[in-house]
Amino acid sequence: MNDFTRISIAIVDDHPILRHGLAAVLRNEPRFRFVAEGETATEALQIAQLHRPDIMILDLDIPGRGIDALKQIVVEFPSVRCIILTVCDSADAAIDALNAGAQGYVLKGVSAADLKSAIWTVFSNESFVSPEFATKLLLAAQNKNQDTSVADGRLSSRESQILREVEGGLSNRMIGEKLRISEKTVKHYMSSIMQKYGVNNRVSAVMTYQKVRQSRPSA
């Protein structure tokens, strides 16, 4: 990523005031390029097809079901990374969205600074969950009925080490600095972990890791 990187962004939300307010915030950031807005699931798909934005900020509660649009965008337009922006603080809804392919889950009322941070994080191909919601999300995953058929994926000791750091909230860059390896190497390990667990984002990888640990008999 260089100083000239500009991120193309689209917003799909059926509340015009919120949508226009977000657009105004994004236009004030010189490294963001606002390309389109919509208010239905159908329009979300049209925007993904016509504009291929780097980031789509998507509300799940839109006409036509945002979750269905998300699932289709992930399959048909994989270069479009989706951040869910919603009032819904249900852990189950967040888990469903992340498992469906969303790379961010942000609660409405977020500060402009945190939203920009979410955009840059997801653009860097990492997952982002509102900090005030992340703990609730992980606790909910821990309290779900555990599927003892979940395989441990035979993680290597280094992969397990990296996943523990992810569980602690560290980004790939921070993990690399802590373990004295390159960020690219960390990304390689994360790709291997997600492949072994059959998931497509960091949050789901951590939740699977927690399930595996809890399903193992105590020593």
Side-chain angles (χ1 to χ4, degrees):
M1 193 179 302
N2 57 54
D3 292 340
F4 299 100
T5 299
R6 295 191 72 200
I7 303 176
S8 58
I9 303 172
I11 300 170
V12 181
D13 191 294
D14 63 341
H15 292 87
I17 293 177
L18 184 143
R19 193 171 67 242
H20 297 160
L22 283 176
V25 169
L26 298 177
R27 286 190 177 102
N28 285 332
E29 170 57 59
R31 291 192 292 178
F32 292 166
R33 181 168 59 89
F34 182 67
V35 296
E37 62 180 87
E39 57 184 52
T40 68
T42 298
E43 290 176 349
L45 292 170
Q46 291 172 343
I47 290 169
Q49 181 177 23
L50 293 174
H51 299 279
R52 307 293 172 96
D54 296 315
I55 301 290
M56 179 175 289
I57 298 174
L58 177 68
D59 187 2
L60 293 178
D61 189 20
I62 54 176
R65 286 176 50 86
I67 189 70
D68 291 340
L70 168 66
K71 292 175 180 178
Q72 193 169 343
I73 289 169
V74 167
V75 172
E76 297 184 12
F77 312 105
S79 66
V80 179
R81 300 175 178 93
C82 292
I83 296 176
I84 304 303
L85 182 65
T86 177
V87 297
C88 181
D89 64 352
S90 162
D92 287 339
I95 291 170
D96 287 345
L98 292 166
N99 285 338
Q103 287 186 250
Y105 197 91
V106 180
L107 300 180
K108 288 183 177 178
V110 66
S111 69
D114 282 346
L115 180 59
K116 291 176 182 180
S117 177
I119 290 170
W120 279 109
T121 299
V122 170
F123 180 70
S124 299
N125 207 30
E126 297 185 35
S127 299
F128 184 96
V129 175
S130 289
E132 69 275 15
F133 186 59
T135 300
K136 178 180 178 179
L137 180 60
L138 292 175
L139 286 174
Q142 291 174 338
N143 292 331
K144 277 181 173 290
N145 292 330
Q146 300 301 317
D147 180 0
T148 57
S149 68
V150 174
D152 66 4
R154 296 182 177 84
L155 298 185
S156 68
S157 58
R158 176 63 97 178
E159 288 170 342
S160 295
Q161 182 184 30
I162 287 174
L163 206 47
R164 285 193 296 271
E165 300 298 343
V166 174
E167 188 177 17
L170 272 63
S171 67
N172 287 346
R173 179 182 58 78
M174 295 167 67
I175 293 171
E177 291 174 353
K178 182 174 181 178
L179 301 183
R180 296 185 178 182
I181 57 178
S182 71
E183 182 178 357
K184 183 177 180 179
T185 298
V186 177
K187 288 182 178 180
H188 171 77
Y189 278 118
M190 283 305 306
S191 295
S192 175
I193 291 167
M194 290 188 284
Q195 183 177 12
K196 288 180 179 181
Y197 279 164
V199 299
N200 54 19
N201 61 72
R202 292 157 60 91
V203 175
S204 294
V206 168
M207 291 190 293
T208 302
Y209 182 60
Q210 292 173 339
K211 287 181 182 181
V212 169
R213 286 188 306 187
Q214 292 178 8
S215 66
R216 290 171 177 162
S218 301

